[in-house]
Structures are given as structure tokens and as C-alpha cells.
Amino acid sequence: MTSQIVVTVIGHGVRLSEELKQKITTFLSGLEDVKIDSEAVLSARAQDYFLSTSRSVASLRELVGSLDAGDVDIVVQENSKFRKEKGLVVFDMDSTLIYQEVIELIAAYAQVEEKVAEITERAMNNELDFTQSLAERVGLLKGIKTATLYDEIKQKLRVTQGVPELCRGLKKTGCKLAVLSGGFTPFANHMKEALELDFARANVLATENDPAQAGVEVLSGYTVGDVVDGECKAETLLQLAREYSVPVEATVMVGDGGNDLPAMGVAGFGIAWNAKAKVQQAAPAKLNTKSLQDAFYMFGYTDAEISELLA
Ligand SMILES: [Mg+2]
């Protein structure tokens, strides 16, 4: 009989200590109605535990959450073929594919940092929802010349460690890749090109001709079309899965924000990447290492398999 559940321990350091491995083995085998069928080494700092149990993934996640194991992420998921066979991986952009928040870069460029910070604070106090705060922030950008703004910001974007490798490796397996951003299309499309993603969706900034200067395009101070919020990300993920004929079980959402949770909820798997505590708690899995390439461990790849994929 095959194990129903796989638990993966991913260390933040260079290796998992023998002491820690022992602690995890003792903890898992001590749980009622849990039997460790086998263990598999993925890397010096990542290890799988295959379990036979009638417990649900959710109940095991809760139990494992109570284990104090130090600087590791512990992932609990169904041991199905879809763990490795990914058909569609969708990424959030700000603080996920890139280290920064684009709106903050734009605010600095437009010298409206204080005003943007004030809107962010009101949004965090739930005085504004995402759509309202987006509208207020974009309103501050009215009249900015688009050409120089877009160039300046694109040059500043710093891709998160491990992202190029993860994308390249997944593409090799035939997996489709997408970015869904609550930011703006010029930058999401830029990342799509840079990382050779299959699809990008973000908010569209309205533009107009500068009445003072013929032929110069400036921002109108509002967005056009549907706002890319949490619901939109979830719907788009499902839409893409249908379009690419990918079973929902083979889809993944990777993000750091509360507005990535709805998409994680509908996807086959979800990864909270260095996210706020609330998001980590609500997400199917969390990853708090330095490199997003470590997602391969969650998908069951060994170091040797990762090297082969990236060669
Ligand atoms: Mg984000």
C-alpha cells in the first residue's frame, strides 16, 4: 500500500542535524494513527517522510504546526503523482518574483512616498480595501511621463534568488508559468519576458497625451479594466488551468500576500513565500528560505534531479 501523506522538512541552514531528524521521527511516529513507512533524503537540508494514516492533511498540518523544530519549514501534503507533476505554477510578483514592491519604487520615483505610506497604513487598518487603496495610490501618479518611469522602474527590479532556476526547471518539465500581479502591466510583462513565462496579468494604467507637450504620454491617474485582486487571481488561475488543459490538482500558487490566499485556496497547492505570519498560517505550505528554488523540494525533487533539470 502506498503512503497517503508525505511530510517534507526543509532546513534554512546548510544541513538538517541528526538531532533534528531524530526529533521529527520521534514526533511523527508518536502521533496516534500515524506510521512512518519510509524516509527519503532529497538534500542535506531537505528530507521526506512518507506516512500511512487515516488522518487528513489538514489535521496533520495542525499537529505538525505545534512542533518546535527550529529553523525549518515543514510541509504536509498528499502523496499523489501531482506532487511532482506540475502543469501550471502561478506567481505573485511583488515580494515574490521580485524582492521589491513596485508601487513603492514608483512612489519614490514620483516623490510621493509619504502619501503612499499613509495610504498603505490606512489599508492595513482596514480603512480601505485593495481596490480603494490602489485607486488612491494611482491617483497620486497623474501626469507622470510614462516612458522614463517605465524604464527607470524596470531597471530597478531585482529578481528573487532561485526564481530563474525554478522557472527554467519547471518549463523543462512542460509546466506552464504565469505571473498575476496587483501591480501594473508594464512591469508584469517585463518579468514575463525576462523569465520566459507563458502569461502575465496585472492592472492597466490609463495613459493620455500630455496637453502641454505634443507626443509625450503621461499617466491619467487611474487604472482601466478589472482590478487584479485576490478574487481575480483565483479566477484567473482556474481559467488558465482550463485553457492549458491542466488538472487543478497540478496547479500551484506562490505568493506572499493576503491577496494570494484565494488563489492558493483554489489551486492544487499553495506556497506562502516569506510571507506575513497570518498568510503563512492560512496557506497550504510556507517556505521561508533564501531561495525560491527550494520549492523543488516541496515538489519531491532531489538535489541530483534538480541539477539534471537545470543542466
Ligand atoms: Mg506580493
Side-chain angles (χ1 to χ4, degrees):
M1 205 181 91
T2 51
S3 310
Q4 294 90 350
I5 285 179
V6 56
V7 173
T8 309
V9 179
I10 303 170
H12 299 175
V14 285
R15 60 185 308 114
L16 298 173
S17 70
E18 288 309 315
E19 202 184 338
L20 176 70
K21 285 191 229 173
Q22 192 56 54
K23 186 174 179 177
I24 288 163
T25 307
T26 307
F27 176 84
L28 290 175
S29 55
L31 295 173
E32 205 186 310
D33 181 28
V34 170
K35 182 175 154 285
I36 301 178
D37 294 323
S38 60
E39 296 179 15
V41 175
L42 298 169
S43 153
R45 60 190 188 86
Q47 178 139 338
D48 273 346
Y49 298 82
F50 293 93
L51 311 182
S52 279
T53 179
S54 59
R55 282 183 182 277
S56 67
V57 166
S59 97
L60 264 169
R61 267 183 199 150
E62 206 178 316
L63 288 167
V64 164
S66 70
L67 172 64
D68 176 22
D71 286 340
V72 295
D73 294 312
I74 306 181
V75 183
V76 180
Q77 60 187 313
E78 225 174 281
N79 180 36
S80 86
K81 66 171 185 156
F82 292 116
R83 180 195 181 192
K84 201 165 197 170
E85 288 174 21
K86 299 304 184 195
L88 169 67
V89 176
V90 175
F91 297 94
D92 164 51
M93 181 153 148
D94 294 356
S95 302
T96 301
L97 282 185
I98 60 168
Y99 284 107
Q100 305 115 313
E101 296 282 323
V102 165
I103 191 75
E104 287 173 12
L105 296 177
I106 297 178
Y109 174 85
Q111 296 181 310
V112 290
E113 289 138 297
E114 277 177 31
K115 285 180 186 158
V116 165
E118 189 203 314
I119 296 166
T120 305
E121 196 173 321
R122 280 164 61 208
M124 293 215 303
N125 292 333
N126 292 324
E127 287 169 42
L128 299 173
D129 68 18
F130 180 77
T131 303
Q132 291 167 323
S133 74
L134 181 77
E136 290 216 12
R137 292 173 210 217
V138 173
L140 296 173
L141 309 177
K142 185 175 165 56
I144 293 176
K145 291 191 185 71
T146 56
T148 38
L149 169 75
Y150 295 170
D151 283 351
E152 285 260 336
I153 303 297
K154 283 177 195 171
Q155 277 174 35
K156 288 208 165 86
L157 302 181
R158 284 173 51 233
V159 175
T160 303
Q161 188 183 326
V163 161
E165 292 80 5
L166 179 63
C167 290
R168 192 155 55 87
L170 285 170
K171 272 204 88 112
K172 260 194 167 174
T173 69
C175 180
K176 298 285 187 185
L177 304 172
V179 55
L180 300 182
S181 172
F184 309 106
T185 47
F187 314 109
N189 287 332
H190 178 70
M191 290 314 301
K192 175 185 173 241
E193 274 171 41
L195 297 166
E196 297 181 46
L197 310 179
D198 299 282
F199 181 87
R201 180 163 187 184
N203 295 303
V204 180
L205 289 164
T207 58
E208 59 198 44
N209 288 318
D210 187 345
Q213 278 175 285
V216 175
E217 189 188 66
V218 294
L219 294 178
S220 306
Y222 53 87
T223 60
V224 287
D226 289 342
V227 165
V228 179
D229 57 8
E231 290 314 311
C232 172
K233 286 187 181 191
E235 280 166 26
T236 309
L237 183 145
L238 293 175
Q239 235 170 51
L240 288 173
R242 278 196 298 274
E243 232 167 81
Y244 297 139
S245 302
V246 169
V248 171
E249 295 91 326
T251 64
V252 182
M253 177 70 202
V254 186
D256 73 296
N259 64 349
D260 300 314
L261 285 171
M264 289 188 204
V266 299
F269 191 60
I271 303 173
W273 166 248
N274 285 300
K276 293 219 171 76
K278 256 187 177 169
V279 178
Q280 292 192 26
Q281 258 173 19
K286 62 187 172 70
L287 186 60
N288 292 324
T289 61
K290 283 200 182 73
S291 170
L292 204 45
Q293 189 187 306
D294 293 340
F296 275 127
Y297 297 139
M298 294 180 161
F299 305 156
Y301 285 82
T302 64
D303 273 343
E305 288 172 325
I306 296 168
S307 304
E308 199 182 324
L309 203 55
L310 297 178

